[in-house]
Amino acid sequence: MSVTLNSPISWKNAAPDDVKMLDNLQPNIVKPHVREFLTLLFLQFNQPVGAKNFLKTLSTSMMKSAKQHLKEIEAFKAKPAKPGTPYIGLGLTKAGYNILGITKTPADGLFDKGMQKSSLNDPAVITWDPYFQHPIHAVLLVGDMLNDKKAAALDKVMSLIKKSKGVTIVGAQDGAGLHNDNKEGIEHFGYVDGRSQPLFLQEDIDAEENGTDGTANWDPGFPLKQVIVPDPAAPDPKVHFGSYFVYRKLEQNVRLFKAQEQKLADRLFGKDEEIAGALVVGRFEDGTPVTMQFEDGVESPVPNNFNYFSDKSGAKCPFSGHIRKTNPRGSGGFEDHAGERTHLMARRGQTYGVRTDNPNDGKIANKPEKYVGLLFMAFNSDIGNQFEFTQKNWANNPGFPAVPPGFPAPGVDPVIGQTPNDAARTKMEAATQWGNPKSLKKVATVPRAVTMKGGEYFFMPSLAFLRSL
Ligand code: HEM
Protein backbone atom coordinates (compact mmCIF):
# COMPACT_ATOMS: atom_id res chain seq x y z
CA MET A 1 0.00 0.00 0.00
CA SER A 2 1.00 3.58 -0.37
CA VAL A 3 -0.63 6.96 0.13
CA THR A 4 -3.54 7.60 -2.27
CA LEU A 5 -2.47 10.43 -4.53
CA ASN A 6 -4.45 10.05 -7.74
CA SER A 7 -7.87 10.72 -6.25
CA PRO A 8 -9.53 12.37 -3.26
CA ILE A 9 -9.79 10.24 -0.09
CA SER A 10 -12.44 9.62 2.52
CA TRP A 11 -10.75 10.54 5.79
CA LYS A 12 -13.30 8.53 7.77
CA ASN A 13 -12.59 5.34 5.78
CA ALA A 14 -8.95 6.00 5.03
CA ALA A 15 -6.57 3.16 4.19
CA PRO A 16 -3.73 2.60 6.74
CA ASP A 17 -1.10 4.61 4.83
CA ASP A 18 -3.56 7.46 4.26
CA VAL A 19 -4.21 7.49 8.01
CA LYS A 20 -0.46 7.76 8.66
CA MET A 21 -0.27 10.60 6.15
CA LEU A 22 -3.15 12.52 7.83
CA ASP A 23 -1.67 11.87 11.29
CA ASN A 24 1.51 13.63 10.19
CA LEU A 25 0.20 16.31 7.85
CA GLN A 26 -0.32 19.86 9.09
CA PRO A 27 -3.93 21.13 9.22
CA ASN A 28 -5.30 23.71 6.74
CA ILE A 29 -3.83 21.87 3.72
CA VAL A 30 -6.48 19.35 2.69
CA LYS A 31 -9.26 21.37 4.33
CA PRO A 32 -9.31 25.02 5.46
CA HIS A 33 -8.88 25.59 9.18
CA VAL A 34 -11.17 28.31 10.52
CA ARG A 35 -8.87 31.16 11.52
CA GLU A 36 -10.98 34.30 11.70
CA PHE A 37 -8.17 35.78 13.76
CA LEU A 38 -4.70 35.06 12.53
CA THR A 39 -1.16 36.20 13.25
CA LEU A 40 1.78 35.33 11.05
CA LEU A 41 5.25 35.53 12.55
CA PHE A 42 8.26 35.62 10.24
CA LEU A 43 11.31 34.06 11.87
CA GLN A 44 15.03 34.06 11.44
CA PHE A 45 17.25 31.29 12.84
CA ASN A 46 20.70 32.33 14.02
CA GLN A 47 21.98 28.88 14.97
CA PRO A 48 20.80 25.37 14.16
CA VAL A 49 20.67 23.72 17.59
CA GLY A 50 18.39 26.29 19.23
CA ALA A 51 16.20 26.46 16.13
CA LYS A 52 15.85 22.67 15.97
CA ASN A 53 14.93 22.49 19.65
CA PHE A 54 12.37 25.23 19.13
CA LEU A 55 10.75 23.44 16.16
CA LYS A 56 10.72 20.13 18.01
CA THR A 57 9.07 21.58 21.13
CA LEU A 58 6.60 23.64 19.11
CA SER A 59 5.51 20.69 16.97
CA THR A 60 5.34 18.25 19.87
CA SER A 61 3.50 20.42 22.35
CA MET A 62 1.43 22.86 20.30
CA MET A 63 0.81 21.65 16.74
CA LYS A 64 -2.02 19.29 15.82
CA SER A 65 -2.35 17.07 12.79
CA ALA A 66 -4.77 17.26 9.85
CA LYS A 67 -6.49 14.17 11.27
CA GLN A 68 -7.01 15.80 14.66
CA HIS A 69 -8.35 18.90 12.95
CA LEU A 70 -10.89 16.81 10.99
CA LYS A 71 -12.00 15.11 14.22
CA GLU A 72 -12.36 18.51 15.87
CA ILE A 73 -14.66 19.64 13.06
CA GLU A 74 -16.88 16.60 13.70
CA ALA A 75 -16.99 17.39 17.41
CA PHE A 76 -17.85 21.02 16.67
CA LYS A 77 -20.77 19.95 14.45
CA ALA A 78 -22.11 17.58 17.17
CA LYS A 79 -24.61 18.59 19.84
CA PRO A 80 -23.48 19.97 22.20
CA ALA A 81 -20.77 21.48 20.02
CA LYS A 82 -17.21 21.06 21.28
CA PRO A 83 -14.98 23.97 20.25
CA GLY A 84 -11.75 23.10 18.46
CA THR A 85 -8.21 24.07 19.39
CA PRO A 86 -6.18 26.88 17.77
CA TYR A 87 -4.37 26.34 14.47
CA ILE A 88 -0.60 26.51 14.50
CA GLY A 89 1.14 26.06 11.16
CA LEU A 90 4.85 26.14 10.38
CA GLY A 91 6.59 26.66 7.05
CA LEU A 92 10.31 26.76 6.18
CA THR A 93 12.11 28.58 3.38
CA LYS A 94 15.02 27.07 1.51
CA ALA A 95 17.34 29.35 3.52
CA GLY A 96 15.68 28.01 6.67
CA TYR A 97 16.46 24.41 5.69
CA ASN A 98 20.04 25.45 4.92
CA ILE A 99 20.63 27.01 8.32
CA LEU A 100 19.15 23.94 10.03
CA GLY A 101 21.70 21.89 8.09
CA ILE A 102 19.00 19.80 6.38
CA THR A 103 20.20 18.69 2.97
CA LYS A 104 17.22 16.64 1.75
CA THR A 105 15.09 19.66 0.91
CA PRO A 106 11.86 19.88 -1.08
CA ALA A 107 12.73 19.69 -4.76
CA ASP A 108 10.66 22.48 -6.36
CA GLY A 109 13.10 24.79 -8.16
CA LEU A 110 10.99 27.89 -7.50
CA PHE A 111 10.94 27.13 -3.78
CA ASP A 112 14.72 27.01 -4.04
CA LYS A 113 14.90 30.44 -5.68
CA GLY A 114 12.30 32.16 -3.50
CA MET A 115 9.68 34.73 -4.47
CA GLN A 116 12.07 37.65 -4.80
CA LYS A 117 13.63 36.01 -7.85
CA SER A 118 10.36 35.04 -9.52
CA SER A 119 9.30 36.70 -12.80
CA LEU A 120 5.79 37.79 -12.02
CA ASN A 121 6.21 41.53 -12.70
CA ASP A 122 6.09 42.14 -8.96
CA PRO A 123 7.00 45.63 -7.71
CA ALA A 124 10.68 46.15 -6.78
CA VAL A 125 11.65 44.34 -3.57
CA ILE A 126 12.70 47.67 -2.02
CA THR A 127 9.01 48.68 -1.98
CA TRP A 128 7.97 45.52 -0.08
CA ASP A 129 7.29 45.65 3.67
CA PRO A 130 10.68 46.09 5.39
CA TYR A 131 10.84 42.64 6.99
CA PHE A 132 10.85 41.04 3.54
CA GLN A 133 14.22 42.74 2.99
CA HIS A 134 15.73 40.40 5.65
CA PRO A 135 16.33 36.72 5.06
CA ILE A 136 13.27 34.84 6.33
CA HIS A 137 13.77 31.28 7.51
CA ALA A 138 10.32 30.31 8.70
CA VAL A 139 6.73 31.43 8.99
CA LEU A 140 4.50 30.56 11.89
CA LEU A 141 0.72 30.89 11.63
CA VAL A 142 -1.40 31.13 14.77
CA GLY A 143 -5.15 31.29 14.26
CA ASP A 144 -8.53 30.64 15.80
CA MET A 145 -12.16 31.62 15.28
CA LEU A 146 -12.06 33.53 18.58
CA ASN A 147 -9.67 36.38 19.22
CA ASP A 148 -8.96 35.56 22.86
CA LYS A 149 -8.12 31.95 22.03
CA LYS A 150 -5.80 33.09 19.27
CA ALA A 151 -4.19 35.60 21.64
CA ALA A 152 -3.63 32.91 24.30
CA ALA A 153 -2.05 30.55 21.74
CA LEU A 154 0.12 33.37 20.42
CA ASP A 155 1.29 34.18 23.99
CA LYS A 156 2.41 30.55 24.41
CA VAL A 157 4.25 30.60 21.08
CA MET A 158 5.92 33.92 21.92
CA SER A 159 7.14 32.69 25.28
CA LEU A 160 8.60 29.58 23.63
CA ILE A 161 10.38 31.81 21.10
CA LYS A 162 11.74 33.98 23.91
CA LYS A 163 13.09 30.91 25.73
CA SER A 164 14.64 29.46 22.55
CA LYS A 165 18.21 30.27 21.59
CA GLY A 166 18.81 31.56 18.09
CA VAL A 167 15.21 32.27 17.04
CA THR A 168 14.30 35.88 16.20
CA ILE A 169 11.02 37.39 15.04
CA VAL A 170 11.77 39.66 12.07
CA GLY A 171 8.20 40.48 11.10
CA ALA A 172 4.60 40.02 12.18
CA GLN A 173 1.35 40.34 10.31
CA ASP A 174 -2.19 40.19 11.68
CA GLY A 175 -5.15 39.08 9.66
CA ALA A 176 -8.81 39.28 10.61
CA GLY A 177 -11.93 38.11 8.80
CA LEU A 178 -14.28 40.59 7.10
CA HIS A 179 -17.96 39.79 6.52
CA ASN A 180 -21.01 40.94 4.60
CA ASP A 181 -24.48 41.33 6.14
CA ASN A 182 -25.11 37.58 5.56
CA LYS A 183 -22.02 36.84 7.69
CA GLU A 184 -20.19 35.40 4.67
CA GLY A 185 -16.46 36.02 4.40
CA ILE A 186 -15.63 38.83 1.96
CA GLU A 187 -12.46 40.49 0.72
CA HIS A 188 -12.00 44.27 1.00
CA PHE A 189 -13.60 45.19 -2.35
CA GLY A 190 -16.75 43.66 -0.84
CA TYR A 191 -16.99 40.33 -2.71
CA VAL A 192 -17.65 36.94 -1.13
CA ASP A 193 -14.32 35.11 -1.32
CA GLY A 194 -13.02 31.59 -0.84
CA ARG A 195 -16.08 29.83 -2.29
CA SER A 196 -14.47 27.98 -5.17
CA GLN A 197 -11.94 25.49 -3.83
CA PRO A 198 -10.51 22.20 -5.00
CA LEU A 199 -11.86 19.57 -2.60
CA PHE A 200 -9.62 16.66 -1.58
CA LEU A 201 -11.86 14.83 0.88
CA GLN A 202 -14.71 12.62 -0.32
CA GLU A 203 -16.86 13.79 2.60
CA ASP A 204 -16.59 17.40 1.33
CA ILE A 205 -17.30 16.35 -2.26
CA ASP A 206 -20.37 14.36 -1.14
CA ALA A 207 -21.66 17.36 0.81
CA GLU A 208 -21.32 19.51 -2.29
CA GLU A 209 -22.96 16.85 -4.49
CA ASN A 210 -25.88 16.45 -2.12
CA GLY A 211 -26.22 20.18 -1.47
CA THR A 212 -28.69 22.42 -3.33
CA ASP A 213 -25.97 23.56 -5.72
CA GLY A 214 -24.88 20.13 -7.04
CA THR A 215 -21.81 19.33 -9.12
CA ALA A 216 -23.19 18.62 -12.62
CA ASN A 217 -21.43 21.58 -14.25
CA TRP A 218 -18.26 21.78 -12.17
CA ASP A 219 -16.49 18.89 -10.50
CA PRO A 220 -14.93 20.20 -7.27
CA GLY A 221 -13.06 16.94 -6.52
CA PHE A 222 -9.28 16.93 -7.03
CA PRO A 223 -6.57 14.31 -6.48
CA LEU A 224 -4.44 14.65 -3.36
CA LYS A 225 -1.30 14.91 -5.48
CA GLN A 226 -2.46 18.43 -6.37
CA VAL A 227 -1.83 19.61 -2.81
CA ILE A 228 0.63 17.29 -1.05
CA VAL A 229 4.12 16.02 -1.85
CA PRO A 230 6.41 13.60 0.02
CA ASP A 231 8.45 15.35 2.71
CA PRO A 232 12.02 14.40 1.73
CA ALA A 233 13.55 15.07 5.14
CA ALA A 234 10.91 13.16 7.14
CA PRO A 235 11.66 9.77 8.72
CA ASP A 236 9.39 8.02 6.18
CA PRO A 237 8.65 10.11 3.06
CA LYS A 238 6.40 7.32 1.78
CA VAL A 239 3.76 8.36 4.34
CA HIS A 240 5.03 11.71 5.63
CA PHE A 241 3.86 14.56 3.40
CA GLY A 242 3.99 18.33 3.24
CA SER A 243 2.84 21.14 0.95
CA TYR A 244 4.31 24.27 -0.64
CA PHE A 245 2.81 27.38 0.95
CA VAL A 246 2.66 30.55 -1.16
CA TYR A 247 2.29 33.78 0.79
CA ARG A 248 1.65 37.19 -0.79
CA LYS A 249 0.60 40.39 0.92
CA LEU A 250 -1.67 42.24 -1.51
CA GLU A 251 -2.68 45.77 -0.54
CA GLN A 252 -6.05 46.91 -1.87
CA ASN A 253 -6.96 50.50 -2.74
CA VAL A 254 -10.64 50.08 -2.01
CA ARG A 255 -11.61 53.69 -2.75
CA LEU A 256 -10.00 53.55 -6.19
CA PHE A 257 -11.60 50.21 -7.05
CA LYS A 258 -15.08 51.23 -5.93
CA ALA A 259 -14.85 54.58 -7.78
CA GLN A 260 -13.68 52.78 -10.91
CA GLU A 261 -16.54 50.29 -10.69
CA GLN A 262 -18.86 53.27 -10.92
CA LYS A 263 -16.94 54.76 -13.86
CA LEU A 264 -17.06 51.43 -15.66
CA ALA A 265 -20.80 51.28 -15.04
CA ASP A 266 -21.14 54.78 -16.55
CA ARG A 267 -19.17 53.68 -19.62
CA LEU A 268 -21.27 50.56 -20.09
CA PHE A 269 -24.77 51.35 -18.92
CA GLY A 270 -24.91 54.84 -17.49
CA LYS A 271 -25.55 53.31 -14.02
CA ASP A 272 -25.46 50.16 -11.88
CA GLU A 273 -22.02 49.63 -10.42
CA GLU A 274 -23.21 46.25 -9.05
CA ILE A 275 -23.19 44.75 -12.55
CA ALA A 276 -20.00 46.58 -13.53
CA GLY A 277 -18.20 45.07 -10.52
CA ALA A 278 -19.55 41.63 -11.37
CA LEU A 279 -18.13 41.98 -14.89
CA VAL A 280 -14.70 42.77 -13.42
CA VAL A 281 -14.68 39.95 -10.84
CA GLY A 282 -16.97 37.41 -12.54
CA ARG A 283 -19.22 37.23 -9.48
CA PHE A 284 -21.52 39.79 -7.85
CA GLU A 285 -20.59 40.94 -4.36
CA ASP A 286 -22.93 38.30 -2.88
CA GLY A 287 -21.13 35.60 -4.90
CA THR A 288 -23.72 35.16 -7.69
CA PRO A 289 -21.70 34.18 -10.80
CA VAL A 290 -22.40 36.67 -13.61
CA THR A 291 -22.25 33.78 -16.04
CA MET A 292 -25.48 32.50 -14.43
CA GLN A 293 -27.51 35.72 -14.42
CA PHE A 294 -27.27 39.50 -14.75
CA GLU A 295 -28.38 40.37 -11.25
CA ASP A 296 -27.28 39.34 -7.80
CA GLY A 297 -29.40 37.46 -5.28
CA VAL A 298 -28.89 33.78 -6.10
CA GLU A 299 -29.97 32.00 -2.95
CA SER A 300 -27.44 30.86 -0.37
CA PRO A 301 -25.26 28.77 -0.53
CA VAL A 302 -23.15 30.75 -2.97
CA PRO A 303 -23.20 28.76 -6.25
CA ASN A 304 -20.11 27.11 -7.65
CA ASN A 305 -21.75 24.66 -10.04
CA PHE A 306 -21.18 26.49 -13.29
CA ASN A 307 -18.88 26.69 -16.32
CA TYR A 308 -18.43 28.92 -19.35
CA PHE A 309 -19.47 26.53 -22.14
CA SER A 310 -22.69 28.45 -22.86
CA ASP A 311 -20.73 31.72 -22.96
CA LYS A 312 -18.36 31.30 -25.91
CA SER A 313 -18.44 35.01 -26.80
CA GLY A 314 -17.94 36.35 -23.27
CA ALA A 315 -21.34 38.03 -23.40
CA LYS A 316 -22.27 36.73 -19.94
CA CYS A 317 -18.96 36.77 -18.06
CA PRO A 318 -16.22 38.80 -19.82
CA PHE A 319 -13.13 36.79 -20.80
CA SER A 320 -11.22 39.19 -18.54
CA GLY A 321 -13.29 38.47 -15.40
CA HIS A 322 -10.97 37.62 -12.47
CA ILE A 323 -12.53 34.23 -11.82
CA ARG A 324 -12.66 33.37 -15.55
CA LYS A 325 -8.97 34.24 -15.97
CA THR A 326 -7.93 32.29 -12.86
CA ASN A 327 -10.17 29.25 -13.46
CA PRO A 328 -11.54 29.03 -16.99
CA ARG A 329 -13.28 25.77 -16.07
CA GLY A 330 -12.31 24.02 -19.30
CA SER A 331 -12.87 26.96 -21.65
CA GLY A 332 -9.40 28.56 -21.77
CA GLY A 333 -8.62 27.24 -25.26
CA PHE A 334 -4.92 26.41 -24.81
CA GLU A 335 -5.15 23.06 -22.99
CA ASP A 336 -7.68 20.31 -22.52
CA HIS A 337 -9.96 20.50 -19.49
CA ALA A 338 -7.89 18.01 -17.45
CA GLY A 339 -4.69 19.97 -18.07
CA GLU A 340 -6.33 23.22 -17.05
CA ARG A 341 -7.54 21.72 -13.78
CA THR A 342 -3.97 20.87 -12.73
CA HIS A 343 -3.26 24.60 -12.22
CA LEU A 344 -5.77 25.07 -9.39
CA MET A 345 -4.45 25.46 -5.86
CA ALA A 346 -5.96 25.34 -2.38
CA ARG A 347 -6.54 29.02 -1.52
CA ARG A 348 -6.48 29.82 2.18
CA GLY A 349 -6.38 33.65 2.13
CA GLN A 350 -7.26 36.04 4.92
CA THR A 351 -8.05 39.76 4.87
CA TYR A 352 -5.86 42.16 6.85
CA GLY A 353 -6.13 45.74 8.04
CA VAL A 354 -8.64 47.60 10.18
CA ARG A 355 -11.67 49.19 8.56
CA THR A 356 -13.09 52.31 10.22
CA ASP A 357 -15.94 52.43 7.66
CA ASN A 358 -18.72 49.91 7.14
CA PRO A 359 -17.45 47.83 4.18
CA ASN A 360 -21.06 47.16 3.15
CA ASP A 361 -22.45 50.75 3.20
CA GLY A 362 -22.11 51.35 -0.55
CA LYS A 363 -20.29 54.68 -0.06
CA ILE A 364 -16.98 55.49 -1.74
CA ALA A 365 -15.51 58.58 -0.06
CA ASN A 366 -14.94 56.83 3.28
CA LYS A 367 -13.20 53.76 1.82
CA PRO A 368 -9.53 53.06 2.63
CA GLU A 369 -6.83 53.59 0.03
CA LYS A 370 -4.01 51.81 1.91
CA TYR A 371 -3.13 49.47 4.78
CA VAL A 372 -5.90 46.95 4.04
CA GLY A 373 -5.82 43.99 1.70
CA LEU A 374 -5.57 40.28 1.23
CA LEU A 375 -2.98 37.95 2.69
CA PHE A 376 -3.05 35.59 -0.26
CA MET A 377 -2.10 32.13 0.94
CA ALA A 378 -2.28 28.95 -1.08
CA PHE A 379 -1.12 25.35 -0.83
CA ASN A 380 0.50 23.85 -3.92
CA SER A 381 2.24 20.63 -4.90
CA ASP A 382 4.05 22.40 -7.77
CA ILE A 383 4.54 26.17 -7.46
CA GLY A 384 5.41 26.59 -11.15
CA ASN A 385 2.38 24.72 -12.44
CA GLN A 386 -0.07 26.18 -9.95
CA PHE A 387 0.48 29.60 -8.34
CA GLU A 388 3.07 30.92 -10.82
CA PHE A 389 1.21 29.52 -13.81
CA THR A 390 -2.01 31.19 -12.68
CA GLN A 391 -0.36 34.54 -12.02
CA LYS A 392 1.96 34.56 -15.04
CA ASN A 393 0.30 32.57 -17.85
CA TRP A 394 -3.28 33.47 -17.02
CA ALA A 395 -3.67 36.65 -14.92
CA ASN A 396 -0.74 38.64 -16.36
CA ASN A 397 -1.23 37.39 -19.92
CA PRO A 398 -3.40 39.75 -22.02
CA GLY A 399 -3.91 36.94 -24.56
CA PHE A 400 -5.60 34.53 -22.15
CA PRO A 401 -8.15 32.96 -22.51
CA ALA A 402 -8.40 32.26 -26.25
CA VAL A 403 -11.21 34.25 -27.89
CA PRO A 404 -13.14 33.60 -31.12
CA PRO A 405 -11.63 35.03 -34.35
CA GLY A 406 -12.09 38.77 -34.67
CA PHE A 407 -12.59 39.32 -30.92
CA PRO A 408 -10.20 41.63 -29.03
CA ALA A 409 -7.69 40.00 -26.65
CA PRO A 410 -9.14 39.78 -23.12
CA GLY A 411 -6.38 41.88 -21.50
CA VAL A 412 -4.77 41.26 -18.11
CA ASP A 413 -6.74 40.26 -15.02
CA PRO A 414 -8.32 43.55 -13.82
CA VAL A 415 -7.92 42.56 -10.15
CA ILE A 416 -4.45 40.98 -9.93
CA GLY A 417 -2.87 41.32 -13.40
CA GLN A 418 0.66 42.77 -13.31
CA THR A 419 2.54 44.04 -16.37
CA PRO A 420 5.72 46.12 -16.17
CA ASN A 421 4.08 49.46 -17.02
CA ASP A 422 0.42 48.48 -17.12
CA ALA A 423 0.38 49.30 -20.86
CA ALA A 424 -1.56 46.10 -21.58
CA ARG A 425 -4.12 47.17 -19.06
CA THR A 426 -6.28 49.31 -21.30
CA LYS A 427 -9.54 47.87 -22.56
CA MET A 428 -12.03 45.21 -21.62
CA GLU A 429 -15.02 43.96 -23.52
CA ALA A 430 -18.36 43.36 -21.85
CA ALA A 431 -21.97 42.96 -22.96
CA THR A 432 -24.54 45.55 -21.92
CA GLN A 433 -27.30 42.97 -22.39
CA TRP A 434 -26.57 39.69 -20.68
CA GLY A 435 -25.74 36.90 -23.14
CA ASN A 436 -26.23 39.08 -26.24
CA PRO A 437 -22.99 39.16 -28.27
CA LYS A 438 -24.40 42.02 -30.34
CA SER A 439 -24.34 44.22 -27.24
CA LEU A 440 -20.61 43.67 -26.58
CA LYS A 441 -18.85 46.96 -25.99
CA LYS A 442 -15.14 47.68 -25.69
CA VAL A 443 -14.48 50.10 -22.85
CA ALA A 444 -11.56 51.32 -20.73
CA THR A 445 -11.01 48.85 -17.91
CA VAL A 446 -10.33 49.57 -14.23
CA PRO A 447 -6.80 50.64 -13.23
CA ARG A 448 -4.66 48.50 -10.96
CA ALA A 449 -5.95 48.74 -7.37
CA VAL A 450 -3.95 45.83 -5.88
CA THR A 451 -0.27 46.26 -4.95
CA MET A 452 1.97 43.41 -3.92
CA LYS A 453 3.79 44.30 -0.67
CA GLY A 454 5.93 41.21 -0.27
CA GLY A 455 5.81 37.48 -0.08
CA GLU A 456 7.70 34.21 -0.01
CA TYR A 457 7.56 30.53 -0.85
CA PHE A 458 7.59 28.14 2.11
CA PHE A 459 7.30 24.40 2.59
CA MET A 460 5.01 23.19 5.36
CA PRO A 461 6.72 19.95 6.37
CA SER A 462 5.22 16.91 8.04
CA LEU A 463 4.86 16.84 11.81
CA ALA A 464 7.00 13.68 11.77
CA PHE A 465 9.91 15.71 10.36
CA LEU A 466 9.53 18.57 12.87
CA ARG A 467 9.22 16.14 15.79
CA SER A 468 12.29 14.22 14.64
CA LEU A 469 14.58 17.24 14.85
C1 HEM B 1 -6.40 41.28 -3.59
C2 HEM B 1 -6.33 40.30 -4.45
C3 HEM B 1 -7.49 39.39 -4.80
C4 HEM B 1 -8.83 39.61 -4.72
C5 HEM B 1 -9.54 40.86 -4.28
C6 HEM B 1 -9.48 38.39 -5.16
C7 HEM B 1 -10.85 38.21 -5.21
C8 HEM B 1 -11.47 37.02 -5.55
C9 HEM B 1 -12.88 36.78 -5.47
C10 HEM B 1 -13.92 37.78 -4.97
C11 HEM B 1 -13.10 35.51 -5.90
C12 HEM B 1 -14.47 34.81 -6.00
C13 HEM B 1 -14.69 33.87 -4.86
C14 HEM B 1 -14.45 32.43 -5.19
O1 HEM B 1 -14.78 31.97 -6.29
O2 HEM B 1 -13.91 31.71 -4.34
C15 HEM B 1 -11.82 34.96 -6.26
C16 HEM B 1 -11.63 33.68 -6.76
C17 HEM B 1 -10.41 33.21 -7.18
N1 HEM B 1 -9.20 33.85 -7.14
FE1 HEM B 1 -8.87 35.69 -6.42
N2 HEM B 1 -8.52 37.48 -5.52
C18 HEM B 1 -7.28 38.06 -5.32
C19 HEM B 1 -6.05 37.46 -5.53
C20 HEM B 1 -5.87 36.28 -6.21
C21 HEM B 1 -4.58 35.74 -6.59
C22 HEM B 1 -3.22 36.37 -6.30
C23 HEM B 1 -4.83 34.58 -7.26
C24 HEM B 1 -3.85 33.62 -7.88
C25 HEM B 1 -2.75 33.98 -8.49
C26 HEM B 1 -6.26 34.38 -7.25
C27 HEM B 1 -6.90 33.28 -7.76
C28 HEM B 1 -8.24 33.01 -7.63
C29 HEM B 1 -8.86 31.76 -8.02
C30 HEM B 1 -8.15 30.53 -8.59
C31 HEM B 1 -10.22 31.87 -7.73
C32 HEM B 1 -11.29 30.81 -7.93
C33 HEM B 1 -11.87 30.91 -9.33
C34 HEM B 1 -12.88 29.81 -9.57
O3 HEM B 1 -12.59 28.67 -9.23
O4 HEM B 1 -13.95 30.11 -10.10
N3 HEM B 1 -6.84 35.43 -6.62
N4 HEM B 1 -10.85 35.90 -6.05
Side-chain angles (χ1 to χ4, degrees), residues 69 145-146 270 301 346 376 423 445:
H69 171 224
M145 65 189 288
L146 301 173
F376 177 84
T445 186

Side-chain angles (χ1 to χ4, degrees), residues 24-35:
N24 286 284
L25 188 73
Q26 295 195 37
N28 203 26
I29 296 173
V30 291
K31 187 177 174 91
H33 192 294
V34 178
R35 47 198 197 296

Side-chain angles (χ1 to χ4, degrees), residues 187-189 191-197 218 248 250-252 281 283 304 306 308 322-324 326-327 329 344-345 347 373-374 376 387 390-391 395 415-416 450:
E187 50 68 48
H188 280 283
F189 294 149
Y191 292 79
V192 167
D193 200 4
R195 168 64 177 98
S196 181
Q197 294 285 3
W218 171 248
R248 274 164 92 73
L250 302 173
E251 188 174 71
Q252 292 175 256
V281 173
R283 288 186 187 261
N304 199 35
F306 64 92
Y308 302 102
H322 171 62
I323 66 161
R324 192 167 181 167
T326 55
N327 181 7
R329 300 182 183 230
L344 293 193
M345 59 201 130
R347 291 178 301 127
L374 180 72
F376 177 84
F387 164 67
T390 307
Q391 181 73 52
V415 179
I416 56 160
V450 170

Side-chain angles (χ1 to χ4, degrees), residues 42-46 99 134-138 166-170:
F42 297 93
L43 307 178
Q44 218 173 69
F45 302 144
N46 310 317
I99 204 146
H134 302 282
I136 292 171
H137 296 142
V167 182
T168 314
I169 300 173
V170 288

Side-chain angles (χ1 to χ4, degrees), residues 69 341 454 469:
H69 171 224
R341 284 170 63 89
L469 284 170

Side-chain angles (χ1 to χ4, degrees), residues 143-448:
D144 199 275
M145 65 189 288
L146 301 173
N147 198 21
D148 52 353
K149 278 177 73 186
K150 191 240 22 196
L154 186 60
D155 279 352
K156 272 171 94 179
V157 169
M158 297 284 272
S159 77
L160 179 63
I161 292 175
K162 234 182 240 162
K163 275 193 271 174
S164 304
K165 284 206 181 83
V167 182
T168 314
I169 300 173
V170 288
Q173 174 67 57
D174 282 335
L178 197 67
H179 301 94
N180 62 15
D181 295 336
N182 287 339
K183 300 198 166 53
E184 282 149 342
I186 55 172
E187 50 68 48
H188 280 283
F189 294 149
Y191 292 79
V192 167
D193 200 4
R195 168 64 177 98
S196 181
Q197 294 285 3
L199 303 180
F200 305 102
L201 299 175
Q202 197 53 51
E203 286 80 0
D204 292 346
I205 299 165
D206 291 347
E208 191 91 357
E209 240 160 44
N210 302 329
T212 48
D213 196 20
T215 57
N217 300 313
W218 171 248
D219 174 7
F222 282 76
L224 272 169
K225 68 176 175 202
Q226 204 148 323
V227 75
I228 57 169
V229 293
D231 179 351
D236 186 357
K238 282 207 251 4
V239 288
H240 298 151
F241 279 68
S243 185
Y244 294 100
F245 176 71
V246 173
Y247 173 78
R248 274 164 92 73
K249 182 174 176 180
L250 302 173
E251 188 174 71
Q252 292 175 256
N253 183 338
V254 183
R255 201 182 304 174
L256 176 67
F257 187 84
K258 294 317 253 184
Q260 291 297 327
E261 265 181 1
Q262 215 159 52
K263 281 198 183 148
L264 182 63
D266 292 344
R267 285 176 213 133
L268 283 166
F269 318 101
K271 59 180 171 123
D272 208 340
E273 69 281 359
E274 290 285 328
I275 300 181
L279 296 171
V280 169
V281 173
R283 288 186 187 261
F284 285 85
E285 288 188 3
D286 71 356
T288 305
V290 71
T291 198
M292 289 175 82
Q293 60 181 55
F294 219 31
E295 57 186 355
D296 60 4
V298 160
E299 291 294 300
S300 199
V302 173
N304 199 35
N305 181 21
F306 64 92
N307 58 48
Y308 302 102
F309 295 128
S310 75
D311 188 17
K312 296 206 171 6
S313 55
K316 293 174 181 173
C317 179
F319 293 116
S320 59
H322 171 62
I323 66 161
R324 192 167 181 167
K325 293 272 288 184
T326 55
N327 181 7
R329 300 182 183 230
S331 72
F334 290 91
E335 287 175 275
D336 64 14
H337 194 168
E340 248 179 22
R341 284 170 63 89
T342 66
H343 306 305
L344 293 193
M345 59 201 130
R347 291 178 301 127
R348 303 287 184 253
Q350 168 70 293
T351 44
Y352 75 90
V354 178
R355 294 284 288 258
T356 50
D357 64 316
N358 170 1
N360 306 307
D361 66 7
K363 297 181 188 152
I364 292 176
N366 62 356
K367 296 284 163 279
E369 294 179 289
K370 274 175 182 282
Y371 309 127
V372 302
L374 180 72
L375 306 175
F376 177 84
M377 295 177 267
F379 287 105
N380 294 234
S381 57
D382 180 339
I383 300 171
N385 191 47
Q386 292 175 285
F387 164 67
E388 284 218 357
F389 189 97
T390 307
Q391 181 73 52
K392 205 192 302 190
N393 297 37
W394 285 354
N396 292 358
N397 176 1
F400 184 82
V403 292
F407 276 61
V412 303
D413 184 317
V415 179
I416 56 160
Q418 302 187 139
T419 50
N421 52 15
D422 284 347
R425 193 187 185 94
T426 47
K427 303 270 182 211
M428 66 176 268
E429 193 176 59
T432 55
Q433 291 159 6
W434 186 72
N436 180 1
K438 290 204 181 99
S439 73
L440 282 166
K441 210 168 153 182
K442 207 167 155 190
V443 288
T445 186
V446 295
R448 204 202 280 203

